[in-house]
Structures are given as C-alpha cells and as structure tokens.
Amino acid sequence: MKAQKDWFKDRGYPHFTNKTPLSIRKNIERYVTNSKKVAHHSFSPLIFKEIKQRRYKLAKFNDVKRHSHKKVKKGKVVSNTKIRKILYASHIDAHIYSYYTQQIINPKYETYLKNNSLLSNSITAYRQIETDDKLKFKNNVHFAKDVFDEIKRRKNCVALVLDIENFFPSLNHKKLKLAWAKILGNKTLPKDHFNIFKATTKFSYVKLKDLKSKNGHFDEKRLSKHRKNGKHTFFESIKDLIDSDIIIHKNQKKDDNKNLMGIPQGLPISALLANIYMLDFDESVINELTVKHSVFYRRYSDDIVVISKENQIKLIEEFVKNEMIKNKLTISLEKTEKTLFKINRGRLQSFKIENNGNLKENVPLNYLGFEFYGYQTLIKSKNLAKFYREMKETIKRKHKRVETIKEKHLLDEAPIFKRKVYRLFSFKGEKSRMLPVKRTEFVNSKARTKNFERKFRGNYLRYAYRASDELEAPEIKRQLRNHWKILQKTLKKYDFSNVKKD
C-alpha cells in the first residue's frame, strides 16, 4: 500500500535552532498553519556543505583519449570530481518549507497539470505519480522504462539527452515569482508566500567546515554541553552565532544584469520551485513539438530526453535553445548526447551520433542510472563501480578500526561484524526488515537511552534486482552475479580473526 508523504519530519542533524521531536508536532503545526506568523517568520541562515562525487570519465591527454579521474581544463590538469553544493535549513524553517510545499503549493501544481495529460506525463521528477496498478508510486526505474519502451515502439528514432547548466543556481527570481503566483491563481504572492520567496532567494548561509573548530572536527564538548541543556544546536542562540567569528555568507550570484539569481539546492521546497519555474518551457515543448511533430518529451529535473525522427534533430535543438534563452537558462548543445536507434543485424541497436556526424556502434543511451543499448538494458557502469568501491572502502575502514582495538586492548585477534557487512553489500540484505536501535537524549541534564526499531529498506542489490524485474532485463542480475565472490575476496585481504583464509 502506497503511503502519502508527511510534511512533518523529525530531522536529526544539529543546526542553529533546536530539534523539533514528534512530541511537539501539534505546536509546530499550529505555527506553520498560521499565515500571519509565517509572513513575519525570521528564517535562520542555512548550512552549506559539499558532496563530492568521484568520476571516472573519458578525457584527452596529449591528444590521447583515455578514462581518468582527471581532465584537462584551460591547459591545466584538474580533478574530474563532481561537487554538489547542498544547503539545508534549520528545523522550524524546514517544517515551514515542507508544509507549504506538500499542503499548499503542490496540490495546486498537480491540479494545474491534471488539465493536460501530455504535460503531466512529461514531468517526472519530485512528484508522486501512481503506477498502473495504483499500489505504489513510480520511481526512476519506471521513468526510465517509459523512455526505453517508447524507443522500442518507434524502433527507428533518435534520443537526445540535454542537460541544463547550473540549474538551481541559475533560476531567475522575477520569473520564479510570477510562476509561483500563477500556480496559486494570483497576480502577486500573498505575504506568507512572499516571505518564503525572500528566504529562498535572498538567503544567507554558514559553511559547515567553518563550524568545525577542532582541527577539522566539531567541538564535541561544547555540543555535549548544549545537549545536556536540552539544545541540539551549534550555538546557544542565534545571537551567539552573530557574535561569533563565524562568517555568515549571503547569496551573491548575479546574472548579466547584476540581479540576484538562483535558489538553494537541498531545501524541502527547492524541487517544487524548480518544477514550477520550468512550467512555461514544458508547455511550449508539448504544444510545439509533441502535439505538432509527435516528439516524445520527458523532463526529470534538469535532465531532458527527447525522442524523435532523425531529420528532426536540428528543429528540436533550435527550439530548445530559443526557449531556454526565454527562460533565462543555458543548455550546452555541444554536450547533448544524440543516440540513434535502428534495426541492425536483426535487433534494435544503439549508435552514438558524434559531433562530426559519424556513427559509433553500440554506445548506449545513458538515462537515470541505466545504459540502454536497444537489445539490452544495464545498470550504469559507474554506479556499479561506486557500489564495489563503497564495499571495499567500508571493509578497509572496519579493518583499521579493528587494528586500533587490538593495539589499545593488547588483543591477539579481533573479529569483524560480518552480519552488517553482508546486510549492506550482499544478497542477504535484499529484504527489508526492522533493526534494533538505541538513541540517547538529555532530559533535564540527565541522559535517557531509548530502545526502538528502525526500518532497513534493503541495500543496493534490492534496488538492482527490482530494476531487473521492472525493466524485464535479466542481464542486470548477471551484472551482479559475482558480488559475493568480490565481497569474500575483499574480506580475506585483511587480518580478521573470524574470516577464513584460503
């Protein structure tokens, strides 16, 4: 049975305002549902952090192409690592964003989309879309299947994958405000919505690394002192943050006309605002390309896929480029992936259309974490590499911990807790289950430990096996058939007392 999203979430991270446990939900609800209070609410600075994603991509070094973790940029060799900039809100602020997203703005957005089924079907990210059996909501596997099935249906066609450059940081504030008001059915934003609009456009933030004052680590003594006083915060109050030497940064990203631009990526409202912003573009594509030229269109956040005839490529590229300019966004046509599909030697096969017009055989369409070759579908190779890399790094880290314990307590041998490793990285963790968990909280300066259960939703293999079934692609399971051997081989590399050597 599918479950509707709840706007209230007990977030565990420390911030500049205190945590809001489930016990005070009614108080929070009274506050966020009071439009006058929201209209005058003072939003706290966000916390900024970077998520680094290591990438192994094709790069050119001295006119030789090879896969590497580095690339040449402006004559210098730099890292290929993709950095995602995330900003997250304090607890009470996050509740306001979440409530307005799920209870007020999103229902109006969904009502607007329902008036046009072509439009509704085309926008897939950040929405709760029911599966055909009405038992659950669709995820990226279902959205990928829709695209792959359309290619199979058309057989001879071209798939264009376009990516919007710096999507969230490039959103135009004036256009966002107008689109927001349009969804609400107003000419201007009501006072409570306008206050939220200001908080998401003229935002301030503190860098997470600046809060780590002890050689790159948090001051645990100070945090513990705050917890004993019932505050799960970095400072006793916002005033203490202001009086500290921590720099509070402001959004200073500006467009060519020196106007502020962009919204934070990571807020509960950010994804919905991005969808609202793109509504004019989505409608233009549907009206001018889908209706008039039978072009298949799907947009998953800033990932756009268009399926058409080969002779329509130029038409689509020109149209998309012009519409992006109207929407104050940039799309790099040079980076657009063009994949031709046609029957070759009795089967549907993929060909990459290179910039010079040449065809490169058996280069797949990459979409939402999958590689589609026409005759088979595989999990993206870099996602598979990430799974094995995490497996090996986890075991290496656990070995280091075991060695420290052996040295500290003068032990001859120390085991690894294999059950947890198996649960995370093998078929034994495929099924969801309830796990016992302990949480210690301070109430009136006294520590209280609670025992409860947390749902483990399965590991990466669960996702892969389900994707294999959903996409009717048994080859995905074959991709992972050696995972147990690789796991055992990695365990045997280290000196764990409960792992048998060959």
Side-chain angles (χ1 to χ4, degrees):
M1 187 71 183
K2 61 183 187 297
Q4 293 288 340
K5 261 188 175 181
D6 187 5
W7 65 268
F8 186 93
K9 185 178 179 182
D10 183 6
R11 295 167 172 84
Y13 54 73
H15 214 285
F16 303 129
T17 63
N18 209 3
K19 284 171 62 179
T20 51
L22 195 60
S23 58
I24 63 167
R25 175 178 176 142
K26 287 186 178 179
N27 296 337
I28 298 296
E29 191 164 0
R30 276 195 293 269
Y31 188 86
V32 301
T33 54
N34 188 324
S35 59
K36 289 182 179 178
K37 287 189 180 295
V38 173
H40 294 94
H41 179 76
S42 180
F43 287 85
S44 301
L46 307 172
I47 292 181
F48 168 90
K49 70 174 182 180
E50 292 182 340
I51 298 177
K52 295 183 179 180
Q53 184 182 352
R54 191 181 180 203
R55 294 191 294 181
Y56 190 62
K57 298 182 74 176
L58 194 65
K60 202 172 185 180
F61 298 92
N62 298 323
D63 295 327
V64 178
K65 284 187 176 181
R66 61 184 175 87
H67 281 86
S68 173
H69 292 297
K70 298 184 182 295
K71 64 181 177 181
V72 177
K73 188 176 181 180
K74 296 180 180 178
K76 293 183 179 180
V77 178
V78 296
S79 173
N80 240 337
T81 302
K82 182 179 180 179
I83 299 175
R84 289 180 61 216
K85 297 177 180 179
I86 302 296
L87 294 106
Y88 57 99
S90 67
H91 300 273
I92 183 64
D93 293 355
H95 287 311
I96 292 173
Y97 291 133
S98 189
Y99 178 81
Y100 270 74
T101 297
Q102 295 181 34
Q103 300 296 313
I104 299 177
I105 308 171
N106 193 60
K108 291 182 180 292
Y109 175 68
E110 288 295 332
T111 300
Y112 186 94
L113 294 184
K114 281 178 183 176
N115 295 325
N116 186 335
S117 59
L118 281 175
L119 179 65
S120 182
N121 292 337
S122 298
I123 305 161
T124 55
Y126 316 127
R127 296 177 62 205
Q128 289 190 313
I129 303 171
E130 291 181 332
T131 54
D132 294 337
D133 56 15
K134 309 290 184 185
L135 293 176
K136 56 186 177 181
F137 294 115
K138 288 186 176 182
N139 55 33
N140 69 311
V141 177
H142 300 97
F143 301 139
K145 187 177 189 300
D146 288 344
V147 172
F148 301 157
D149 285 350
E150 180 67 18
I151 293 170
K152 290 175 183 176
R153 187 183 70 79
R154 295 193 179 209
K155 291 186 174 64
N156 293 299
C157 60
V158 172
L160 280 73
V161 177
L162 307 105
D163 184 66
I164 304 170
E165 293 183 0
N166 296 318
F167 184 41
F168 284 90
S170 299
L171 300 190
N172 178 271
H173 291 172
K174 185 178 179 180
K175 186 178 180 340
L176 174 62
K177 186 180 174 185
L178 291 171
W180 191 335
K182 178 183 175 181
I183 286 296
L184 297 178
N186 300 333
K187 288 185 178 180
T188 58
L189 290 177
K191 288 182 179 179
D192 51 338
H193 286 261
F194 183 64
N195 195 29
I196 297 171
F197 168 76
K198 286 193 298 181
T200 54
T201 52
K202 297 179 180 179
F203 57 90
S204 59
Y205 62 92
V206 171
K207 293 181 179 179
L208 185 64
K209 66 179 182 181
D210 290 346
L211 297 169
K212 297 178 178 181
S213 56
K214 296 284 184 179
N215 298 321
H217 297 279
F218 295 121
D219 188 342
E220 292 297 339
K221 281 188 177 181
R222 189 176 69 180
L223 293 178
S224 179
K225 182 183 174 182
H226 292 168
R227 283 196 294 269
K228 286 178 181 178
N229 293 329
K231 292 191 174 182
H232 198 68
T233 56
F234 287 110
F235 295 89
E236 284 281 347
S237 65
I238 290 291
K239 186 178 181 303
D240 289 345
L241 167 63
I242 295 168
D243 292 341
S244 72
D245 57 358
I246 300 290
I247 299 172
I248 300 177
H249 304 267
K250 288 189 176 182
N251 177 27
Q252 294 181 329
K253 189 169 176 62
K254 295 181 180 180
D255 60 20
D256 295 336
N257 296 319
K258 306 298 181 184
N259 296 316
L260 281 179
M261 61 190 289
I263 63 172
Q265 188 172 358
L267 303 185
I269 199 171
S270 299
L272 176 59
L273 294 184
N275 269 347
I276 290 172
Y277 186 92
M278 291 298 291
L279 197 51
D280 282 350
F281 175 82
D282 296 327
E283 288 180 315
S284 296
V285 173
I286 294 299
N287 294 333
E288 298 300 322
L289 295 182
T290 302
V291 174
K292 292 183 180 179
H293 299 282
S294 299
V295 168
F296 180 90
Y297 168 69
R298 289 291 184 271
R299 182 178 64 79
Y300 190 93
S301 187
D302 57 344
D303 285 329
I304 297 168
V305 63
V306 178
I307 302 171
S308 67
K309 297 174 183 176
E310 190 175 356
N311 60 9
Q312 293 176 318
I313 293 176
K314 195 169 182 180
L315 166 74
I316 292 166
E317 287 185 329
E318 283 297 316
F319 181 83
V320 169
K321 181 182 176 182
N322 292 333
E323 286 301 313
M324 283 294 170
I325 292 170
K326 288 180 189 176
N327 286 276
K328 315 289 186 185
L329 294 170
T330 305
I331 197 155
S332 176
L333 293 178
E334 294 78 23
K335 294 180 181 178
T336 298
E337 289 185 29
K338 303 171 194 173
T339 310
L340 172 69
F341 290 90
K342 63 180 181 179
I343 302 298
N344 184 46
R345 294 191 286 271
R347 67 180 185 182
L348 184 64
Q349 193 168 344
S350 59
F351 297 80
K352 180 183 178 181
I353 303 176
E354 298 185 319
N355 291 333
N356 58 11
N358 292 339
L359 296 181
K360 196 171 182 181
E361 188 176 347
N362 221 34
V363 177
L365 164 67
N366 286 294
Y367 188 63
L368 299 184
F370 297 97
E371 296 175 347
F372 182 63
Y373 292 81
Y375 60 92
Q376 70 171 357
T377 306
L378 299 175
I379 285 177
K380 205 171 180 178
S381 53
K382 76 169 187 179
N383 292 354
L384 209 57
K386 183 183 176 183
F387 167 72
Y388 284 119
R389 186 163 61 246
E390 285 180 357
M391 173 200 288
K392 293 172 182 179
E393 286 176 354
T394 298
I395 295 171
K396 183 180 179 181
R397 192 164 56 247
K398 288 183 180 297
H399 175 256
K400 191 175 180 181
R401 198 173 298 153
V402 163
E403 289 298 309
T404 303
I405 292 169
K406 283 167 67 175
E407 188 176 327
K408 184 178 179 180
H409 299 283
L410 302 176
L411 300 173
D412 291 330
E413 53 185 39
I416 181 175
F417 292 99
K418 288 192 283 187
R419 182 182 294 178
K420 187 174 182 181
V421 174
Y422 289 165
R423 187 171 70 233
L424 292 173
F425 301 109
S426 82
F427 64 91
K428 294 188 177 184
E430 185 198 347
K431 293 181 180 178
S432 61
R433 68 198 77 174
M434 300 305 293
L435 299 175
V437 181
K438 289 182 180 181
R439 179 182 289 172
T440 302
E441 292 181 343
F442 286 92
V443 180
N444 297 326
S445 299
K446 292 184 179 179
R448 291 185 181 177
T449 302
K450 292 181 181 179
N451 294 312
F452 62 99
E453 288 189 325
R454 173 178 63 85
K455 187 171 184 179
F456 173 71
R457 299 185 180 277
N459 57 20
Y460 183 74
L461 274 88
R462 173 189 173 93
Y463 165 78
Y465 291 163
R466 287 195 166 192
S468 176
D469 295 336
E470 201 71 49
L471 295 168
E472 298 174 358
E475 54 269 24
I476 289 177
K477 289 181 180 176
R478 289 198 293 272
Q479 277 184 286
L480 290 154
R481 65 184 180 273
N482 290 326
H483 80 272
W484 182 256
K485 288 181 182 178
I486 294 169
L487 175 57
Q488 294 301 321
K489 186 177 179 181
T490 307
L491 285 169
K492 289 172 184 177
K493 278 178 64 178
Y494 301 100
D495 187 24
F496 296 118
S497 58
N498 59 335
V499 175
K500 291 181 180 179
K501 302 285 185 181
D502 290 333

